[in-house]
Amino acid sequence: MFSLKALILIAAGALALPSNTNGIHDLLQARAGTPSSNGQHNGYYYSFWTDGGGTVNYQNGDKGNFAVNWKNCSNFYGGKGWKPGTSQTVNFNGTFTTSGNGYLSIYGWTTSPQTEYYIIESHGTYDPSKYVRVLGSYSSDGSVYKLARTSRIIYPPTSPLGAVQHQYYAVRQDKRTSGTVDVGNHVRVWQEKGLKLGKHDFQIVAVEGYQSSGEADVTVW
């Protein structure tokens, strides 16, 4: 996720949500609600970013808990997890509602190559797999996931993320707000389909919103 004030993103055949990693946090400050930040909290890594549009309130709770509510937002994400991420089993339990465009997902980054990935457990009105290249479907975690990918060209090329960014989406076909995700199994399928991941950076259970309103309360472990 990037502020339009700072960067211009050109999607290659996609309308997917723009996203961010650590270096961009320092460039942006929220105009309403909670300022962007990231770090350690009660034994978990957290990351919260907003481009400042609308009102977004993010709060870290006990251990792996976090809560966020937003009204007429522009773009944000926030959540808790680990840094670095791994091909581990992730548990989550909570609530997630949105009037429009939003995700509840396992969300992470790898480097070399720069790759942003989503394992989307629930979403609002926008399903990114409908607008990017679909590579098929596969079974995991008690459901079927549709796998899709796209790439973005990022300007300026000297940005902390480099010039090209890959995005992978695994979209669960029956939505849920609680459960267990075997990240290792997803990664194995992606690799079989030719999608490479680099070295893990952060990995969180994230709530993301884009031009919408909503609320969520989630615990991660």
Side-chain angles (χ1 to χ4, degrees), residues 138-157:
Y138 63 94
S139 297
S140 190
D141 310 314
S143 185
V144 174
Y145 289 78
K146 188 182 294 184
L147 180 62
R149 67 157 293 173
T150 188
S151 298
R152 293 182 183 278
I153 302 171
I154 300 174
Y155 292 98

Side-chain angles (χ1 to χ4, degrees), residues 49-140:
W49 175 86
T50 173
D51 66 3
T55 300
V56 184
N57 297 302
Y58 174 88
Q59 183 175 7
N60 286 317
D62 187 39
K63 297 182 180 178
N65 176 259
F66 69 94
V68 59
N69 63 77
W70 64 101
K71 184 175 181 181
N72 300 324
C73 74
S74 178
N75 202 183
F76 82 90
Y77 77 83
K80 275 187 171 180
W82 302 268
K83 184 178 173 67
T86 64
S87 293
Q88 62 185 327
T89 297
V90 175
N91 300 285
F92 66 99
N93 179 62
T95 60
F96 166 77
T97 59
T98 177
S99 64
N101 192 341
Y103 299 158
L104 172 64
S105 68
I106 313 301
Y107 171 63
W109 278 84
T110 70
T111 58
S112 300
Q114 296 282 3
T115 302
E116 178 187 41
Y117 64 87
Y118 292 84
I119 303 173
I120 297 176
E121 297 294 292
S122 185
H123 62 82
T125 57
Y126 184 89
D127 177 351
S129 67
K130 293 183 177 180
Y131 303 97
V132 298
R133 181 185 177 191
V134 175
L135 302 179
S137 299
Y138 63 94
S139 297
S140 190

